[in-house]
């Protein structure tokens, strides 16, 4: 079956890592008609808008996209296209698995948890205004509708994936109304899932617990900004941002992208680690029913890690992005020949 998938190579290391992933997906035998689009500064220059309609309609039509990182200027300039895209398509659930890979030097080789981040509201929306010069307000909007659906998503995800516990992460001791609402809804929704354990942690303590005893966590659900920050913290526990994949899921479609950004410090050198976006691509393959291809590509990727010969620089190796992808493709082909 041919799949129509929107491809957004993105900025910085985006084109390097997405092309590595496309090569591996195609080598796994998945038949894809890619529809390629640009967003952000590139689109601003070409079309005069950072979020062109044709990119959004392409994702709406195809219902699935593989996306590289998009740069957002700091402290000035256009608002985040990543946030804009998630809002435009109502991609409310950001699912970010955190699992250590073989042979990767990291603090917690056994770690296996999943962050479920609310993706459409909260402080991360960047709703800000100047009250008077020198005084700025930033609004944190938490709604019953968005909180209920992300919590329900987290519990359903836990049940469907054989997970035992969901932890709500919050700061309801200080933000008694906004995080208080989130937490109340969490325990209300948890009653519909008696087979899944439910507990909660205040975010500051949660950060310390994640660093000291992460094995106590399984699925963690939280509002947008907390999810943004904890995702990078958790990536650090398993060996870095090059290894942390993600999926933005909604009723209108799904956009698969790595946790990391455009890495301007290493862009254009061909040395980025494509594993995070590749693993996002594997989540995408499972989402579109290409489970067998996902299994084979994952097996090949794990074999390359287990062998330890081809590691990118962030993991202490010397292999570049394209050669790392070639090593995975070679393993894929070798596995297929052995199975034939
Ligand atoms: P970043 O995630 O791009 O980079 C942080 C550090 O991790 C850098 O040292 C970078 O070299 C390294 N790194 C990241 N991905 C890597 C990979 N695949 N392989 C090897 N090393 C990797 O974060 P930063 O520098 O804060 O943000 C850069 C830009 O990316 C900003 O404009 C930001 O807005 C944007 N961004 C976009 C995201 C998205 O499109 N979803 C997510 C996060 C940031």
């Amino acid at each position: 079956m041919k799949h129509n998938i929107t491809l957004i190579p993105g900025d910085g290391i985006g084109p390097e890592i997405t092309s590595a992933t496309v090569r591996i997906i195609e080598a796994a035998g998945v038949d894809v008609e890619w529809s390629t689009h640009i967003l952000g500064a590139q689109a601003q220059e070409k079309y005069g808008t950072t979020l062109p309609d044709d990119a959004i309609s392409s994702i709406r039509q195809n219902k699935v996209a593989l996306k590289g990182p998009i740069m957002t200027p700091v402290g000035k300039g256009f608002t985040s296209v990543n946030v804009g895209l998630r809002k435009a398509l109502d991609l409310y659930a950001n699912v970010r698995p955190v699992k250590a890979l073989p042979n990767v030097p990291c603090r917690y080789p056994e770690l296996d948890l999943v962050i479920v981040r609310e993706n459409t509201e909260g402080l991360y929306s960047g709703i800000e205004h100047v009250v008077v010069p020198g005084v700025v307000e930033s609004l944190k909007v938490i709604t019953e509708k968005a909180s209920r659906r992300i919590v329900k998503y987290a519990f359903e995800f836990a049940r469907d994936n054989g997970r035992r516990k969901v932890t709500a992460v919050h700061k309801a001791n200080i933000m008694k109304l906004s995080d208080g609402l989130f937490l109340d809804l969490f325990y209300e929704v948890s009653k519909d899932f008696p087979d899944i354990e439910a507990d909660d942690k205040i975010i500051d303590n949660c950060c310390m617990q994640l660093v000291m005893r992460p094995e106590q966590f399984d699925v963690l659900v939280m509002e947008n900004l907390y999810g943004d920050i904890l995702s990078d913290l958790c990536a650090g526990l398993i060996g870095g941002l090059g290894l942390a994949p993600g999926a933005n899921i909604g009723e209108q479609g799904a956009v698969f992208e790595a946790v990391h950004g455009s890495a301007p410090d290493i862009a254009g050198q061909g040395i980025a680690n494509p594993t995070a976006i590749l693993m996002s691509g594997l989540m995408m393959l499972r989402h579109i029913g290409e489970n067998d291809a996902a299994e084979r590509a994952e097996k090949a990727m794990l074999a390359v890690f287990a062998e330890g010969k081809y590691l990118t620089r962030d993991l202490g190796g010397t292999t570049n992005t394209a050669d790392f992808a070639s090593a995975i493709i070679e393993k894929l082909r070798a596995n297929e020949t052995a199975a034939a």
Side-chain angles (χ1 to χ4, degrees):
M1 178 189 169
K2 196 178 201 80
H3 300 278
N4 293 305
I5 300 179
T6 305
L7 177 68
I8 298 161
D11 298 323
I13 60 171
E16 302 158 42
I17 56 172
T18 48
S19 82
T21 299
V22 165
R23 280 176 59 212
I24 294 165
I25 288 175
E26 292 182 349
V30 185
D31 192 7
V32 182
E33 176 83 44
W34 301 99
S35 153
T36 306
H37 291 271
I38 53 172
L39 297 177
Q42 295 177 49
Q44 176 79 52
E45 203 180 311
K46 188 159 177 199
Y47 305 119
T49 169
T50 55
L51 205 51
D53 285 344
D54 67 336
I56 306 269
S57 351
S58 169
I59 302 175
R60 276 217 176 93
Q61 198 180 340
N62 293 335
K63 299 213 173 313
V64 57
L66 182 66
K67 173 186 165 294
I70 305 288
M71 178 278 291
T72 312
V74 176
K76 58 177 174 19
F78 58 80
T79 55
S80 166
V81 171
N82 304 307
V83 173
L85 186 66
R86 293 164 191 166
K87 279 193 175 171
L89 296 164
D90 197 23
L91 303 170
Y92 66 91
N94 193 335
V95 181
R96 298 177 150 186
V98 181
K99 193 166 190 281
L101 292 170
N103 243 351
V104 170
C106 71
R107 285 180 177 76
Y108 295 104
E110 304 299 322
L111 193 61
D112 179 8
L113 57 83
V114 180
I115 288 180
V116 178
R117 162 187 177 187
E118 204 292 320
N119 228 4
T120 63
E121 60 179 30
L123 253 188
Y124 199 85
S125 300
I127 308 169
E128 300 183 316
H129 60 266
V130 177
V131 182
V132 290
V135 182
V136 172
E137 278 182 349
S138 198
L139 301 180
K140 169 161 169 162
V141 178
I142 296 287
T143 64
E144 176 172 344
K145 181 180 167 221
S147 302
R148 193 184 287 283
R149 73 178 175 174
I150 195 67
V151 168
K152 187 161 173 271
Y153 185 95
F155 277 100
E156 281 170 352
F157 178 91
R159 185 180 272 175
D160 294 349
N161 291 279
R163 303 259 168 186
R164 65 195 151 80
K165 181 164 103 170
V166 180
T167 303
V169 183
H170 62 88
K171 191 77 185 174
N173 51 332
I174 303 299
M175 278 162 275
K176 295 177 196 294
L177 292 182
S178 52
D179 282 19
L181 175 64
F182 183 86
L183 191 58
D184 286 349
L185 289 165
F186 172 79
Y187 281 113
E188 189 189 312
V189 171
S190 76
K191 292 192 190 118
D192 295 333
F193 298 85
D195 48 326
I196 309 281
E197 192 189 331
D199 71 356
D200 69 278
K201 287 263 180 301
I202 294 176
I203 178 118
D204 38 353
N205 175 33
C206 186
C207 289
M208 190 273 288
Q209 298 284 345
L210 274 166
V211 173
M212 302 287 290
R213 280 200 318 119
E215 66 283 355
Q216 67 186 287
F217 297 105
D218 194 350
V219 175
L220 298 101
V221 64
M222 63 205 76
E223 70 98 23
N224 211 337
L225 182 63
Y226 303 153
D228 179 51
I229 297 168
L230 284 201
S231 299
D232 275 35
L233 185 153
C234 287
L237 300 176
I238 55 152
L241 278 166
L243 304 169
N248 303 285
I249 311 273
E251 307 300 328
Q252 300 172 40
V255 174
F256 296 82
E257 65 177 338
V259 167
H260 63 72
S262 57
D265 53 339
I266 56 166
Q269 300 176 40
I271 58 169
N273 185 348
T275 305
I277 185 87
L278 170 60
M279 286 166 69
S280 311
L282 300 182
M283 290 170 83
M284 179 183 80
L285 292 185
R286 293 187 168 105
H287 180 83
I288 61 174
E290 289 283 357
N291 295 345
D292 177 56
E295 292 300 317
R296 285 183 289 109
E298 183 168 54
K299 196 172 155 205
M301 179 193 80
L302 292 174
V304 167
F305 275 106
E307 201 175 62
K309 228 164 93 187
Y310 302 101
L311 293 178
T312 45
R313 288 181 200 204
D314 54 316
L315 305 179
T318 53
T319 305
N320 67 33
T321 313
D323 289 347
F324 179 77
S326 301
I328 294 176
I329 292 169
E330 231 166 78
K331 278 273 182 278
L332 246 175
R333 296 203 172 123
N335 289 345
E336 269 154 35
T337 313

